[in-house]
Amino acid sequence: SSRVSRLNRTTQLTGFSDPVYAEACVTVHQFDILLDVLVVNQTHDTLQNLSIEFATVGDLKLCERPQTHTIAPFASIHIKANIKVSSTETGIIFGNILYDATSAGNDRNCIILSDIHVDIVDYIKPSTCTDSQFRSMWAEFEWENKVAVNTDFSGLHEFL
């Protein structure tokens, strides 16, 4: 069942006919998203300076930039990336793979990755808390914060 769970969390990032195949397994732990990206060199060339560049939309932040790798012909590697979540908004992770091929001369190659949509609501689990804990957490929400208003009006209808 852990293999089925992993398959349900896996997103294909490139096509099977691309020179580099990539897919990501997305794991969410509270406020952290871990991307475990399988990268497969599908060419007869050694790929040098291969790096994955991720960018995010929404309240997601990439923790560190993944390092560069060299991949032998038809070999594969796993590259991990950590992303911090700061709200329950749906976020989008997008990016590309950059690499140098030994037979391609001095050109830098780029493969655009498919987007990864992360809806944090899918990962929220029910929990319990005491009344005082609930009141404390509720007070932290922006819409519940009260703003003091000083006015010369004496009644609500007059003020409005």
Side-chain angles (χ1 to χ4, degrees), residues 7-101:
L7 283 174
N8 289 336
R9 296 180 285 119
T10 300
T11 302
Q12 185 175 339
L13 300 176
T14 64
F16 292 118
S17 62
D18 285 321
V20 178
Y21 174 77
E23 64 184 26
C25 179
V26 180
T27 305
V28 177
H29 295 288
Q30 292 185 333
F31 299 106
D32 297 322
I33 298 173
L34 174 65
L35 298 179
D36 182 5
V37 183
L38 169 67
V39 178
V40 180
N41 178 359
Q42 301 191 113
T43 70
H44 293 282
D45 296 323
T46 297
L47 304 183
Q48 298 175 331
N49 300 319
L50 183 136
S51 64
I52 298 180
E53 294 183 348
F54 288 113
T56 60
V57 174
D59 287 333
L60 303 174
K61 182 182 177 203
L62 187 64
C63 294
E64 75 276 344
R65 188 174 172 179
Q67 66 186 42
T68 60
H69 300 274
T70 298
I71 305 177
F74 303 103
S76 65
I77 59 168
H78 282 267
I79 299 174
K80 295 186 182 336
N82 289 306
I83 296 172
K84 292 285 184 192
V85 178
S86 59
S87 81
T88 57
E89 283 184 19
T90 297
I92 300 171
I93 304 166
F94 59 96
N96 54 49
I97 295 177
L98 299 168
Y99 64 93
D100 299 323

XYZ file of all heavy atoms in Angstrom, residues 7-101:
736
model
N 2.651 6.194 -5.755
C 2.187 6.400 -7.130
C 1.126 7.495 -7.201
O 1.107 8.281 -8.150
C 1.625 5.099 -7.707
C 2.639 4.065 -8.158
C 1.943 2.776 -8.559
C 3.487 4.596 -9.291
N 0.249 7.554 -6.211
C -0.791 8.589 -6.191
C -0.208 9.982 -6.005
O -0.848 10.975 -6.352
C -1.807 8.312 -5.083
C -2.671 7.120 -5.410
O -2.850 6.775 -6.571
N -3.206 6.475 -4.384
N 0.995 10.069 -5.453
C 1.628 11.365 -5.209
C 2.667 11.721 -6.267
O 3.379 12.705 -6.137
C 2.296 11.363 -3.824
C 1.319 11.221 -2.676
C 2.004 11.225 -1.312
N 2.671 9.954 -1.059
C 3.984 9.814 -0.852
N 4.784 10.850 -0.860
N 4.512 8.622 -0.628
N 2.767 10.907 -7.335
C 3.790 11.123 -8.357
C 3.207 11.876 -9.548
O 2.127 11.557 -10.029
C 4.385 9.776 -8.817
O 4.974 9.141 -7.683
C 5.436 9.969 -9.885
N 3.951 12.886 -9.997
C 3.556 13.721 -11.129
C 4.623 13.636 -12.211
O 5.809 13.833 -11.928
C 3.404 15.196 -10.694
O 2.442 15.272 -9.653
C 2.996 16.077 -11.849
N 4.210 13.353 -13.438
C 5.147 13.313 -14.561
C 5.497 14.748 -14.951
O 4.617 15.575 -15.180
C 4.512 12.569 -15.731
C 5.447 12.364 -16.891
C 4.820 11.516 -17.987
O 3.878 10.772 -17.758
N 5.351 11.647 -19.188
N 6.800 15.050 -15.021
C 7.252 16.412 -15.306
C 7.678 16.614 -16.757
O 7.602 17.731 -17.269
C 8.411 16.785 -14.370
C 8.100 16.741 -12.878
C 9.348 17.042 -12.066
C 6.982 17.703 -12.532
N 8.175 15.568 -17.411
C 8.572 15.664 -18.826
C 7.953 14.498 -19.579
O 7.421 13.564 -18.978
C 10.115 15.617 -18.991
O 10.588 14.351 -18.544
C 10.794 16.743 -18.237
N 8.064 14.536 -20.898
C 7.502 13.479 -21.724
C 8.459 12.308 -21.882
O 9.668 12.440 -21.669
N 7.925 11.163 -22.275
C 8.754 9.978 -22.482
C 9.723 10.159 -23.646
O 10.751 9.500 -23.704
C 7.870 8.746 -22.725
C 7.086 8.336 -21.512
C 5.703 8.346 -21.537
C 7.721 7.947 -20.339
C 4.973 7.968 -20.431
C 7.002 7.564 -19.218
C 5.618 7.580 -19.263
N 9.398 11.042 -24.586
C 10.272 11.246 -25.744
C 11.302 12.354 -25.521
O 12.139 12.589 -26.384
C 9.435 11.557 -26.987
O 8.711 12.752 -26.787
N 11.252 13.042 -24.386
C 12.261 14.072 -24.090
C 13.609 13.409 -23.816
O 13.664 12.276 -23.330
C 11.838 14.897 -22.866
C 10.732 15.883 -23.180
O 10.772 16.484 -24.267
O 9.837 16.066 -22.332
N 14.711 14.110 -24.099
C 16.035 13.536 -23.836
C 16.255 13.219 -22.352
O 16.990 12.300 -22.007
C 17.021 14.594 -24.307
C 16.224 15.694 -24.899
C 14.780 15.419 -24.724
N 15.608 13.987 -21.486
C 15.674 13.743 -20.040
C 14.248 13.543 -19.552
O 13.391 14.402 -19.739
C 16.329 14.930 -19.295
C 16.346 14.670 -17.804
C 17.741 15.179 -19.804
N 13.994 12.377 -18.957
C 12.681 12.097 -18.380
C 12.733 12.447 -16.900
O 13.720 12.161 -16.211
C 12.303 10.629 -18.546
C 11.023 10.269 -17.830
C 9.790 10.621 -18.370
C 11.036 9.626 -16.602
C 8.608 10.327 -17.716
C 9.868 9.323 -15.935
C 8.656 9.674 -16.489
O 7.491 9.406 -15.831
N 11.674 13.084 -16.395
C 11.624 13.435 -14.973
C 10.209 13.258 -14.444
O 9.232 13.550 -15.138
C 12.085 14.877 -14.764
N 10.123 12.778 -13.203
C 8.860 12.702 -12.484
C 9.150 12.991 -11.019
O 10.252 12.728 -10.527
C 8.178 11.339 -12.663
C 8.942 10.176 -12.082
C 8.288 8.823 -12.355
O 7.560 8.695 -13.362
O 8.518 7.908 -11.539
N 8.158 13.576 -10.342
C 8.354 13.980 -8.949
C 7.328 13.316 -8.053
O 6.130 13.298 -8.368
C 8.244 15.494 -8.818
N 7.791 12.801 -6.945
C 6.902 12.303 -5.901
C 6.776 13.437 -4.881
O 7.773 13.915 -4.336
C 7.472 11.050 -5.253
S 6.422 10.420 -3.937
N 5.547 13.891 -4.646
C 5.291 15.036 -3.762
C 4.835 14.516 -2.399
O 3.832 13.808 -2.301
C 4.204 15.959 -4.360
C 3.943 17.143 -3.461
C 4.597 16.408 -5.756
N 5.581 14.865 -1.353
C 5.232 14.476 0.012
C 5.051 15.740 0.837
O 5.925 16.607 0.837
C 6.341 13.606 0.635
O 6.592 12.495 -0.221
C 5.931 13.099 2.003
N 3.910 15.836 1.524
C 3.623 17.008 2.344
C 3.678 16.610 3.816
O 3.039 15.644 4.224
C 2.241 17.608 2.006
C 1.926 18.785 2.909
C 2.199 18.031 0.551
N 4.469 17.350 4.605
C 4.557 17.175 6.058
C 4.265 18.525 6.687
O 5.126 19.401 6.705
C 5.949 16.727 6.489
C 6.341 15.381 6.009
N 5.807 14.219 6.504
C 7.211 14.991 5.050
C 6.336 13.183 5.898
N 7.181 13.630 4.993
N 3.048 18.728 7.153
C 2.613 19.973 7.776
C 2.949 21.173 6.898
O 2.255 21.439 5.944
C 3.182 20.108 9.176
C 2.605 19.100 10.140
C 3.070 19.308 11.547
O 4.139 19.844 11.799
N 2.277 18.863 12.487
N 4.027 21.898 7.173
C 4.365 23.106 6.420
C 5.539 22.901 5.463
O 6.123 23.855 4.982
C 4.673 24.260 7.375
C 3.508 24.617 8.248
C 3.493 24.275 9.583
C 2.405 25.260 7.716
C 2.406 24.594 10.384
C 1.319 25.573 8.495
C 1.325 25.230 9.839
N 5.888 21.653 5.202
C 7.000 21.350 4.304
C 6.511 20.460 3.168
O 5.743 19.535 3.385
C 8.123 20.614 5.046
C 8.743 21.447 6.141
O 8.897 22.662 5.931
O 9.076 20.886 7.202
N 7.000 20.744 1.969
C 6.747 19.892 0.808
C 8.098 19.357 0.365
O 9.045 20.116 0.159
C 6.094 20.676 -0.344
C 4.741 21.224 0.073
C 5.974 19.807 -1.580
C 4.118 22.144 -0.956
N 8.203 18.041 0.240
C 9.420 17.418 -0.254
C 9.151 16.899 -1.658
O 8.195 16.138 -1.879
C 9.858 16.262 0.650
C 11.041 15.446 0.141
C 12.310 16.290 0.096
C 11.255 14.221 0.997
N 9.966 17.335 -2.602
C 9.901 16.821 -3.973
C 11.062 15.850 -4.152
O 12.219 16.224 -3.988
C 10.035 17.953 -4.994
C 8.978 19.033 -4.995
C 9.298 20.071 -6.056
C 7.612 18.449 -5.230
N 10.745 14.600 -4.452
C 11.760 13.600 -4.766
C 11.656 13.376 -6.275
O 10.726 12.723 -6.749
C 11.491 12.312 -3.987
C 12.547 11.251 -4.242
O 13.539 11.536 -4.945
O 12.373 10.126 -3.740
N 12.593 13.959 -7.021
C 12.514 13.970 -8.482
C 13.419 12.886 -9.056
O 14.627 12.878 -8.804
C 12.919 15.350 -9.052
C 12.763 15.368 -10.571
C 12.110 16.460 -8.413
N 12.829 11.964 -9.811
C 13.586 10.965 -10.560
C 13.947 11.582 -11.904
O 13.065 12.042 -12.634
C 12.757 9.693 -10.765
C 13.345 8.676 -11.746
C 14.628 8.071 -11.200
C 12.319 7.596 -12.069
N 15.244 11.603 -12.220
C 15.729 12.155 -13.484
C 16.448 11.039 -14.234
O 17.355 10.402 -13.683
C 16.694 13.339 -13.241
C 17.231 13.879 -14.555
C 16.007 14.436 -12.452
N 16.022 10.790 -15.488
C 16.597 9.707 -16.294
C 17.180 10.301 -17.577
O 16.476 10.968 -18.340
C 15.523 8.648 -16.658
C 16.145 7.535 -17.488
C 14.864 8.093 -15.407
N 18.460 10.034 -17.805
C 19.110 10.427 -19.057
C 18.728 9.386 -20.109
O 19.099 8.224 -20.009
C 20.632 10.476 -18.851
C 21.375 10.830 -20.129
O 20.776 11.022 -21.182
N 22.691 10.908 -20.033
N 17.979 9.785 -21.123
C 17.532 8.863 -22.168
C 18.353 8.994 -23.449
O 17.896 8.586 -24.519
C 16.040 9.103 -22.467
C 15.158 8.905 -21.247
C 13.685 8.889 -21.593
O 13.049 7.863 -21.462
N 13.156 10.026 -22.044
N 19.555 9.555 -23.333
C 20.398 9.776 -24.516
C 21.657 8.909 -24.450
O 21.957 8.299 -23.427
C 20.832 11.255 -24.615
O 21.764 11.547 -23.566
C 19.641 12.196 -24.517
N 22.416 8.920 -25.554
C 23.706 8.220 -25.610
C 24.825 9.118 -25.091
O 25.986 8.705 -25.093
C 24.013 7.801 -27.057
C 23.076 6.757 -27.585
N 23.183 5.429 -27.258
C 21.990 6.852 -28.399
C 22.227 4.747 -27.844
N 21.479 5.584 -28.555
N 24.504 10.341 -24.682
C 25.504 11.317 -24.227
C 25.556 11.392 -22.703
O 24.553 11.166 -22.027
C 25.159 12.724 -24.744
C 25.204 12.816 -26.247
O 26.084 12.175 -26.856
O 24.355 13.535 -26.812
N 26.715 11.762 -22.194
C 26.828 12.102 -20.774
C 26.312 13.522 -20.620
O 26.709 14.426 -21.365
C 28.298 12.015 -20.310
O 28.730 10.658 -20.463
C 28.436 12.450 -18.869
N 25.407 13.718 -19.678
C 24.852 15.053 -19.439
C 25.595 15.678 -18.264
O 25.634 15.127 -17.172
C 23.356 14.959 -19.133
C 22.502 14.249 -20.187
C 21.036 14.287 -19.788
C 22.703 14.874 -21.560
N 26.189 16.840 -18.528
C 26.980 17.522 -17.509
C 26.253 18.775 -17.045
O 25.438 19.343 -17.770
C 28.354 17.884 -18.058
C 29.155 16.671 -18.468
C 30.469 17.055 -19.135
O 30.581 18.106 -19.750
N 31.460 16.191 -18.992
N 26.579 19.193 -15.845
C 25.995 20.411 -15.247
C 24.470 20.381 -15.279
O 23.828 21.409 -15.474
C 26.502 21.668 -15.958
C 28.003 21.795 -15.869
O 28.578 21.532 -14.830
N 28.635 22.156 -16.968
N 23.888 19.201 -15.089
C 22.427 19.088 -15.080
C 21.904 19.656 -13.770
O 22.371 19.303 -12.684
C 22.000 17.627 -15.220
C 20.478 17.436 -15.290
C 20.123 16.445 -16.372
C 19.908 17.008 -13.969
N 20.960 20.560 -13.884
C 20.333 21.129 -12.685
C 18.841 21.301 -12.935
O 18.404 21.458 -14.078
C 20.966 22.474 -12.320
O 20.731 23.421 -13.335
N 18.094 21.237 -11.856
C 16.662 21.501 -11.917
C 16.441 22.843 -11.245
O 16.894 23.066 -10.116
C 15.846 20.415 -11.192
C 16.053 19.060 -11.860
C 14.369 20.775 -11.193
C 15.284 17.932 -11.207
N 15.779 23.736 -11.939
C 15.441 25.041 -11.373
C 13.941 25.072 -11.127
O 13.153 24.870 -12.054
C 15.852 26.168 -12.322
C 17.355 26.271 -12.495
C 17.758 27.439 -13.374
O 16.870 28.031 -14.035
O 18.956 27.742 -13.407
N 13.568 25.281 -9.875
C 12.163 25.381 -9.509
C 11.824 26.817 -9.168
O 12.656 27.567 -8.660
C 11.840 24.509 -8.289
C 11.839 23.034 -8.572
C 12.796 22.206 -8.019
C 10.869 22.473 -9.393
C 12.800 20.852 -8.267
C 10.867 21.113 -9.643
C 11.830 20.302 -9.085
N 10.575 27.192 -9.439
C 10.023 28.474 -9.019
C 8.605 28.191 -8.525
O 8.019 27.157 -8.874
C 10.021 29.473 -10.163
N 8.068 29.093 -7.720
C 6.753 28.837 -7.134
C 5.828 30.031 -7.308
O 6.271 31.167 -7.432
C 6.878 28.522 -5.628
O 7.470 29.645 -4.970
C 7.712 27.286 -5.383
N 4.529 29.731 -7.320
C 3.476 30.744 -7.318
C 2.606 30.434 -6.109
O 2.305 29.281 -5.833
C 2.638 30.692 -8.612
C 1.461 31.634 -8.533
C 3.495 30.995 -9.820
N 2.193 31.456 -5.392
C 1.427 31.246 -4.167
C 2.354 31.397 -2.976
O 3.484 31.869 -3.098
N 1.878 30.974 -1.832
C 2.676 31.114 -0.609
C 3.573 29.902 -0.399
O 3.534 29.233 0.632
C 1.745 31.324 0.592
C 1.126 32.707 0.586
O 1.754 33.622 0.025
O 0.030 32.876 1.136
N 4.392 29.610 -1.392
C 5.374 28.537 -1.330
C 6.752 29.158 -1.524
O 6.914 30.106 -2.277
C 5.131 27.505 -2.437
C 3.764 26.839 -2.494
C 3.661 25.962 -3.734
C 3.518 26.010 -1.250
N 7.750 28.603 -0.827
C 9.106 29.142 -0.946
C 10.104 28.004 -1.041
O 10.126 27.123 -0.179
C 9.433 30.024 0.259
C 10.789 30.647 0.173
C 11.106 31.469 1.397
C 12.523 31.996 1.273
N 13.100 32.331 2.541
N 10.924 28.025 -2.086
C 11.968 27.025 -2.265
C 13.057 27.267 -1.230
O 13.546 28.392 -1.082
C 12.541 27.122 -3.683
C 13.533 26.054 -4.095
C 12.858 24.683 -4.111
C 14.097 26.362 -5.463
N 13.437 26.229 -0.479
C 14.414 26.385 0.602
C 15.837 26.547 0.078
O 16.555 27.429 0.507
C 14.349 25.195 1.557
S 12.788 25.100 2.440
N 16.243 25.672 -0.823
C 17.582 25.772 -1.396
C 17.542 25.319 -2.837
O 16.665 24.551 -3.222
C 18.609 24.945 -0.605
C 18.519 23.443 -0.818
C 17.488 22.755 0.061
O 17.033 23.342 1.042
O 17.112 21.625 -0.272
N 18.497 25.789 -3.590
C 18.556 25.416 -4.998
C 19.276 24.076 -5.120
O 20.375 23.912 -4.586
C 19.321 26.505 -5.749
C 19.296 26.351 -7.214
C 19.954 27.541 -7.858
N 20.103 27.293 -9.281
C 20.621 28.135 -10.122
N 21.057 29.289 -9.690
N 20.707 27.843 -11.388
N 18.669 23.102 -5.814
C 19.335 21.806 -5.972
C 20.669 21.950 -6.704
O 20.825 22.800 -7.578
C 18.357 20.986 -6.811
C 17.025 21.629 -6.580
C 17.327 23.096 -6.394
N 21.641 21.125 -6.331
C 22.975 21.209 -6.924
C 23.003 20.626 -8.327
O 22.046 20.005 -8.766
C 23.980 20.484 -6.031
C 23.747 18.981 -5.949
C 24.669 18.319 -4.956
O 24.901 18.837 -3.883
N 25.188 17.176 -5.318
N 24.129 20.813 -9.031
C 24.278 20.279 -10.392
C 24.816 18.849 -10.334
O 25.479 18.463 -9.377
C 25.214 21.161 -11.234
O 26.488 21.187 -10.608
C 24.671 22.565 -11.373
N 24.525 18.089 -11.390
C 24.909 16.682 -11.446
C 25.440 16.353 -12.826
O 25.155 17.044 -13.803
C 23.700 15.777 -11.167
C 23.077 16.001 -9.827
N 23.517 15.385 -8.693
C 22.053 16.791 -9.434
C 22.797 15.771 -7.661
N 21.900 16.635 -8.089
N 26.184 15.252 -12.911
C 26.599 14.658 -14.178
C 25.942 13.285 -14.246
O 26.030 12.509 -13.286
C 28.127 14.530 -14.257
O 28.695 15.837 -14.184
C 28.553 13.859 -15.558
N 25.276 12.997 -15.364
C 24.551 11.736 -15.498
C 25.061 10.990 -16.730
O 25.075 11.534 -17.841
C 23.030 11.962 -15.623
C 22.511 12.793 -14.458
C 22.302 10.630 -15.693
C 21.035 13.106 -14.550
N 25.463 9.745 -16.534
C 25.945 8.896 -17.622
C 24.791 8.550 -18.561
O 23.620 8.679 -18.198
C 26.559 7.629 -17.035
N 25.104 8.092 -19.767
C 24.041 7.688 -20.702
C 23.136 6.611 -20.094
O 23.618 5.657 -19.494
C 24.811 7.131 -21.909
C 26.156 7.776 -21.832
C 26.439 7.964 -20.369
N 21.843 6.816 -20.210
C 20.801 5.892 -19.745
C 20.833 5.646 -18.231
O 20.246 4.672 -17.761
C 20.848 4.568 -20.529
C 20.720 4.788 -22.006
C 21.836 4.721 -22.823
C 19.493 5.107 -22.568
C 21.738 4.951 -24.190
C 19.381 5.337 -23.929
C 20.503 5.263 -24.747
N 21.486 6.519 -17.492
C 21.524 6.407 -16.029
C 20.430 7.290 -15.430
O 19.819 8.114 -16.121
C 22.888 6.839 -15.499
N 20.190 7.102 -14.139
C 19.177 7.915 -13.454
C 19.686 8.339 -12.087
O 20.575 7.696 -11.515
C 17.873 7.130 -13.300
O 18.070 6.015 -12.450
N 19.111 9.426 -11.591
C 19.425 9.914 -10.245
C 18.142 10.434 -9.612
O 17.149 10.687 -10.306
C 20.491 11.046 -10.254
C 19.992 12.246 -11.087
C 21.822 10.553 -10.743
C 20.839 13.484 -10.916
N 18.180 10.589 -8.301
C 17.089 11.223 -7.566
C 17.608 12.559 -7.042
O 18.686 12.622 -6.459
C 16.637 10.354 -6.386
C 15.770 9.219 -6.784
N 14.395 9.302 -6.787
C 16.069 7.975 -7.228
C 13.891 8.152 -7.190
N 14.884 7.327 -7.471
N 16.835 13.609 -7.267
C 17.176 14.940 -6.766
C 16.049 15.369 -5.843
O 14.873 15.297 -6.213
C 17.343 15.955 -7.921
C 18.475 15.508 -8.854
C 17.596 17.353 -7.374
C 18.618 16.352 -10.101
N 16.409 15.818 -4.640
C 15.396 16.223 -3.666
C 15.378 17.746 -3.538
O 16.409 18.396 -3.625
C 15.671 15.592 -2.309
C 15.549 14.071 -2.344
C 15.671 13.482 -0.976
C 15.618 11.987 -0.908
N 14.995 11.254 -1.892
N 14.181 18.288 -3.354
C 14.014 19.730 -3.151
C 12.981 19.932 -2.048
O 11.974 19.230 -1.990
C 13.558 20.410 -4.437
N 13.262 20.882 -1.156
C 12.343 21.207 -0.062
C 11.680 22.546 -0.320
O 12.339 23.504 -0.726
C 13.094 21.273 1.274
C 13.532 19.912 1.737
O 12.722 19.011 1.844
N 14.821 19.758 1.986
N 10.382 22.599 -0.043
C 9.611 23.824 -0.230
C 8.818 24.071 1.038
O 8.214 23.149 1.600
C 8.682 23.702 -1.452
C 9.541 23.556 -2.713
C 7.738 24.880 -1.554
C 8.782 23.242 -3.956
N 8.834 25.311 1.516
C 8.081 25.703 2.711
C 6.730 26.263 2.298
O 6.622 26.998 1.332
C 8.830 26.773 3.513
C 10.097 26.284 4.162
C 9.776 25.448 5.362
C 11.056 25.048 6.077
N 10.820 24.031 7.072
N 5.700 25.921 3.081
C 4.339 26.383 2.844
C 4.001 27.396 3.931
O 4.229 27.138 5.105
C 3.343 25.210 2.913
C 1.923 25.690 2.705
C 3.712 24.140 1.913
N 3.432 28.546 3.542
C 3.090 29.547 4.554
C 1.604 29.873 4.618
O 1.201 30.734 5.379
C 3.906 30.828 4.336
O 3.649 31.355 3.063
N 0.779 29.191 3.811
C -0.665 29.403 3.913
C -1.388 28.203 3.318
O -0.758 27.291 2.792
C -1.093 30.681 3.182
O -1.217 30.439 1.808
N -2.706 28.243 3.377
C -3.494 27.139 2.822
C -3.915 27.404 1.377
O -4.738 26.687 0.842
C -4.756 26.892 3.674
O -5.509 28.106 3.728
C -4.406 26.422 5.053
N -3.356 28.438 0.762
C -3.656 28.701 -0.646
C -3.109 27.584 -1.519
O -2.126 26.947 -1.184
C -2.970 29.999 -1.096
C -3.639 31.251 -0.646
C -2.940 32.465 -1.228
O -2.209 32.336 -2.220
O -3.143 33.546 -0.678
N -3.747 27.392 -2.650
C -3.214 26.445 -3.625
C -1.955 27.050 -4.231
O -1.918 28.231 -4.550
C -4.254 26.182 -4.727
O -5.401 25.583 -4.127
C -3.703 25.257 -5.792
N -0.919 26.247 -4.334
C 0.334 26.732 -4.894
C 0.685 25.971 -6.154
O 0.192 24.866 -6.396
N 1.543 26.578 -6.957
C 2.006 25.951 -8.188
C 3.527 25.951 -8.174
O 4.154 26.970 -7.868
C 1.491 26.691 -9.437
C -0.036 26.687 -9.458
C 2.047 26.053 -10.711
C -0.636 27.568 -10.540
N 4.099 24.803 -8.493
C 5.547 24.669 -8.610
C 5.837 24.419 -10.084
O 5.240 23.528 -10.694
C 6.069 23.499 -7.753
C 5.654 23.676 -6.291
C 7.585 23.378 -7.888
C 5.831 22.426 -5.452
N 6.719 25.213 -10.654
C 7.080 25.025 -12.055
C 8.585 25.161 -12.178
O 9.264 25.550 -11.236
C 6.338 26.011 -12.970
C 6.591 27.445 -12.644
C 7.560 28.165 -13.332
C 5.866 28.093 -11.656
C 7.798 29.495 -13.041
C 6.092 29.425 -11.360
C 7.068 30.124 -12.050
N 9.118 24.812 -13.328
C 10.566 24.925 -13.483
C 11.052 24.334 -14.782
O 10.285 24.099 -15.718
N 12.373 24.074 -14.811
C 12.986 23.496 -15.995
C 14.234 22.713 -15.606
O 14.728 22.835 -14.491
C 13.305 24.576 -17.038
C 14.136 25.700 -16.462
O 15.128 25.468 -15.809
N 13.726 26.924 -16.717
N 14.694 21.912 -16.549
C 15.939 21.167 -16.392
C 16.932 21.750 -17.378
O 16.632 21.884 -18.570
C 15.736 19.660 -16.675
C 14.805 19.048 -15.633
C 17.079 18.931 -16.695
C 14.483 17.587 -15.879
N 18.104 22.106 -16.875
C 19.174 22.642 -17.712
C 20.338 21.661 -17.702
O 20.644 21.084 -16.648
C 19.651 24.001 -17.181
C 18.604 25.113 -17.148
C 19.111 26.295 -16.353
C 18.254 25.534 -18.551
N 20.980 21.482 -18.858
C 22.121 20.569 -18.903
C 22.977 20.849 -20.133
O 22.543 21.480 -21.095
C 21.662 19.102 -18.912
C 20.864 18.714 -20.125
C 21.483 18.154 -21.245
C 19.487 18.917 -20.187
C 20.753 17.802 -22.368
C 18.752 18.563 -21.300
C 19.396 18.007 -22.388
O 18.667 17.667 -23.499
N 24.220 20.360 -20.076
C 25.133 20.385 -21.211
C 25.317 18.948 -21.675
O 25.579 18.064 -20.851
C 26.506 20.949 -20.810
C 26.413 22.380 -20.297
O 25.607 23.148 -20.837
O 27.144 22.723 -19.342
N 25.167 18.703 -22.982
C 25.411 17.374 -23.542
C 26.789 17.378 -24.196
O 27.171 18.363 -24.825
C 24.337 17.005 -24.552
